[in-house]
Structure formats: C-alpha cells, structure tokens
Amino acid sequence: WSLQAYAGDSIVAILAGQLAGLAAGRRGPTGPFELSTLFLLSGGLLSAFLWKENVAEKAGGGGGKPSIREAIQVVKADPKIMMVGAVQSLFEAAMYIFVLQWPPAITKAIGKAFGEGFPTPYGTVFSCFMACCLLGSTLFGQLAKMGVPTESSTAAMLTAAALAMGGATMAATTPTAPLWALVTGFFAFEGCVGMYFPSIGTLRSKYVPDSHRSVIMNLFGIPLNVLVVSVFLSIKRLGVSGALSVSTGALSIAALCMFALQYNNKSSTVAAAAV
C-alpha cells in the first residue's frame, strides 16, 4: 500500500505542476499561490467533516514516552541505526537544497540556450520531476519483487544520486555546458528521490526500534536542518553551483554510509556463521 501511496502522491504532484503553470500564465507569479489557497481550504473542509480522530488505545502496563537520553543510548548501542539516520539526514538535506536551487539553475541554463528573458516553464519542469519520482518508486517496487535487498538497491540509488547531482553541478558551473546536461542530471536525481522514500521507510522499520523511532528520527532532523540552514545563510558566497556542490558532497557521504551498513551486515553474518 505504501508504494501505491507514493505513486498517488506523484500523480497528484504531476497534475499540480500543470495547474500551477496554467495559473501562472493567467495570473502571473502569484497565480499558483492563489490556486493553492483554494486547495488548502478544500482540504481543510474535507478533513474537518470526514476525518475521525485516531486515538490509540492506552497500554495496560506503565512505561511513558522514551526520553531523548534513552534514544541517544539506543543509537550508541547500534551503529546500524547511526548509519540509517545519517543516510536520511544527508539525503534529505541534499534534496531540500536542490528544491530551492533548481529554479535559478534552470532559468540560467534556459537563458543561455534560448536567450535572456525566455520564459521558464516551471510548472512543466516540476511535473517532469514528479514523473521521474513516479518512475523511481515504481523501480523500487520491481526490485523488491525480484528479491533485491533494500540495502543493495539503496546503495546503488545513492551512488546514482551523487553522480547525477555531480553532473548537474558541473553543467551549472560550466558556461558552455548544454541545457540537456543539466536537465538530465536533475531528472536522474528526481528518479532517485522516488526510490529514496520507500527505501528509507523500509530501512527505518528494519533497523530503528519502534519504541524509540519517533525520537531518534527527530534527533537526526537536527543535523539535517543545520546543514540546510547553513547553506542558505551562505548562499551569497556559495551561489547556485556552490549549493549544488554541497548537495553532491552530502549524497556522496550518504552513499558511503550505506556501503558501511552493508559491510557491517556482512561482518555480522560472517561472525554469526563462525559461532
């Protein structure tokens, strides 16, 4: 069901991109925001009248919510949790940096290709990104059906994401680089984003204990936000290409963490077999 949910999200996002493009064409830059207000109001009304409160049953035994100190102890006791958390922090930081840097990068590339002032079809580009996400989540589902371990497919995905972002960064930095080089890198990265969400969900459920999962994931959100905020506080000095370079570095380290997790699993299997 989760893969169907990801596919549904991607399809809705593809349609949203097209609607945003039409709204911008008719109402200018504020058009998509005006349209989004209508959808937000509609969603609020639907949730108010159709959603019922999901109240969990009270546990019979005591035991309150896990503390931050307990969550840190759990992470320290199992390096696999640290690797999964590092992958999540680094990939999502790279993704958030990309989200705010692709519009100026695409605009500059289109200006070089077609002349300054040529309109950038942001809605169409966004829809193409979401189509790539849909392909990525579909690919994850097919690999899972074939029995490919999630650790292996995630390591390959992170490697591809780092290469794609690195190629896009080079295209954004090189004045003579063609438009297709930048677009190809961005599309490939978005395909990896589509694979990422079902992948990290599977890894979290496998390695992070359910009793402390919410606290642990919130802890790993701290370095994620620190990295993203640091980049945008330094954006004047870094520029678009510098920010994309940071994304490339984060994705590369995430790939190394995933390979380390695979190595740790193999070492554990060999040690267990020896015993």
Side-chain angles (χ1 to χ4, degrees), residues 21-41:
L22 292 173
R26 293 194 173 206
R27 300 280 295 174
T30 62
F33 297 98
E34 295 168 358
L35 182 61
S36 68
T37 302
L38 296 177
F39 282 104
L40 286 171
L41 290 173

Side-chain angles (χ1 to χ4, degrees), residues 9 11 16-17 21 42 48 61 66 74 100 117 125 149 156 194 196 203 254 261:
D9 287 344
I11 292 171
S42 300
V74 171
L100 291 180
V125 174
Y196 165 78
L203 293 173
L261 177 61

